[in-house]
Amino acid sequence: MKPENINRAFLDGVLDGSHEDVYYHFGVVSSDPILDRLRDVEAVIMAGSGGRIREFADRWSEINGGSEIVAFPKEDRFVTRYTAGVLFVSHGMGMPSASIALQELMRMVFFLKGGDLAAMDEVFWCRVGTSGGVGLPAGTVVVSSEGVMADLQPYRLLKGGDGEYWFDGRFPADTYNAIIAANEGVADFTVVPGRTVAGNEFFLEQFRLDGAICLETPESKTAWLEWLDQNGVRNIEMEGAMIAGYLNHWGFAKFAMICCTLLNRLEGDQVTSTPEQLHKFGEDAGSALFNYLEACLLHA
Ligand code: R2B
Ligand code: URA
């Protein structure tokens, strides 16, 4: 961990009881007894949609002998489920939404672990999601090595004083290699490592030609996608650069992003797979995660 980057000016007062922490978007405060049931959390799994969170939690509970599932009552922003050591949380779409979930979750994990940096270091974080593939057929699972923005630079934000703050978007190699290894000879789908672009928009910052607003030409779109391809980018989604950046900022050791591809962006823009195919793609990304959790992390 990087203790100097943890906002102790605010968080220490939560631990010593001077004030509560309000996890506003989850509808929970630090003194809420429901949090006692999450103290043994070993992994935080994030996905875009609440439906996928419910499915993942049911599946993980089944794998763990029907373990009890705890749900936060408020669900109008993010859906949360906790079972068998894993906290499953939806984060919505895009970095503004996902950053709210992640900041409150990082504070919650700090509180749940009593500020114990060694215990926090053991927590595994993962986003499981969908993406557009770059030169990969639909249905491929990409485990990210680095999250960058559409200009291939890391996630950054405006800050006071001296301009922009740049985050480190790299995912820990030990973790993504272990996820790939846990799926070798087990998965009936292809799992590859690669850099991932997080666009700030599904249409414009992913250089699509099918938006209501289009700022690209076929030539500028192809040039961008080929540039990504030549620079080791294997898929495009909307959250990874921020997620890696924030988790690196606190210095977490184990985190990853596993995304299935819904289409090959070198071949088109529209997502035309059937609902059955889309469901299978989402399930495969979940299987890639669960194969790792079962083999390497929990109950190892
Ligand atoms: C992948 O899929 C969503 C957009 O359809 C977005 O949240 C993402 O990263
Ligand atoms: N999600 C994205 O962000 N982009 C795609 O092309 C597909 C899913």
Side-chain angles (χ1 to χ4, degrees), residues 128-141:
V128 181
T130 57
S131 61
V134 179
L136 298 171
T140 310
V141 171

Side-chain angles (χ1 to χ4, degrees), residues 104-136:
E104 293 190 6
L105 288 167
M106 288 165 70
R107 278 162 33 195
M108 204 181 285
V109 165
F110 179 88
F111 173 72
L112 289 170
K113 299 299 174 193
D116 177 342
L117 300 185
M120 284 162 61
D121 219 22
E122 290 302 310
V123 176
F124 169 67
W125 300 76
C126 188
R127 167 174 135 73
V128 181
T130 57
S131 61
V134 179
L136 298 171

Side-chain angles (χ1 to χ4, degrees), residues 82-289:
Y82 176 79
T83 190
V86 182
L87 182 60
F88 296 92
V89 188
S90 68
H91 58 60
M93 284 187 280
M95 294 189 270
S97 173
S99 64
I100 297 170
L102 184 55
Q103 289 245 21
E104 293 190 6
L105 288 167
M106 288 165 70
R107 278 162 33 195
M108 204 181 285
V109 165
F110 179 88
F111 173 72
L112 289 170
K113 299 299 174 193
D116 177 342
L117 300 185
M120 284 162 61
D121 219 22
E122 290 302 310
V123 176
F124 169 67
W125 300 76
C126 188
R127 167 174 135 73
V128 181
T130 57
S131 61
V134 179
L136 298 171
T140 310
V141 171
V142 179
V143 186
S144 301
S145 56
E146 186 183 6
V148 289
M149 297 186 74
D151 58 0
L152 297 187
Q153 299 299 319
Y155 180 68
R156 66 266 187 200
L157 285 173
L158 190 65
K159 73 182 267 288
D162 52 359
E164 282 182 330
Y165 190 85
W166 288 55
F167 289 85
D168 174 359
R170 288 171 296 176
F171 286 86
D174 285 356
T175 309
Y176 66 75
N177 285 326
I179 292 171
I180 293 166
N183 280 282
E184 258 158 20
V186 179
D188 67 348
F189 45 84
T190 307
V191 183
V192 299
R195 296 174 88 197
T196 301
V197 161
N200 263 318
E201 229 263 36
F202 186 83
F203 298 95
L204 296 181
E205 263 205 356
Q206 298 192 25
F207 285 58
R208 280 184 152 83
L209 304 179
D210 63 343
I213 297 168
C214 179
L215 303 178
E216 303 305 326
T217 61
E219 292 73 29
S220 68
K221 170 190 140 174
T222 302
W224 182 68
L225 288 169
E226 284 177 354
W227 181 59
L228 301 193
D229 196 15
Q230 285 153 13
N231 281 281
V233 172
R234 297 282 74 92
N235 64 340
I236 306 164
E237 47 80 73
M238 297 179 63
E239 294 85 14
M242 178 279 298
I243 289 174
Y246 284 14
L247 294 172
N248 272 325
H249 194 68
W250 268 26
F252 284 103
K254 288 184 289 187
F255 59 88
M257 183 164 73
I258 304 173
C259 290
C260 61
T261 60
L262 304 184
L263 74 165
N264 179 1
R265 283 298 314 284
L266 296 179
E267 290 172 0
D269 294 336
Q270 297 234 308
V271 180
T272 54
S273 306
T274 64
E276 292 73 27
Q277 285 172 318
L278 293 174
H279 191 256
K280 157 95 172 100
F281 297 159
E283 286 218 316
D284 288 350
S287 299
L289 166 73

Side-chain angles (χ1 to χ4, degrees), residues 26-69:
F26 291 99
V28 172
V29 296
S30 47
S31 61
D32 195 322
I34 201 169
L35 289 185
D36 283 337
R37 304 171 73 184
L38 275 59
R39 293 230 181 249
D40 295 334
V41 63
E42 293 171 79
V44 181
I45 306 304
M46 298 168 278
S49 88
R52 195 162 306 128
I53 289 306
R54 292 186 194 94
E55 278 181 25
F56 283 167
D58 288 347
R59 209 168 142 187
W60 187 240
S61 165
E62 213 168 285
I63 292 171
N64 286 277
S67 52
E68 191 190 358
I69 300 177

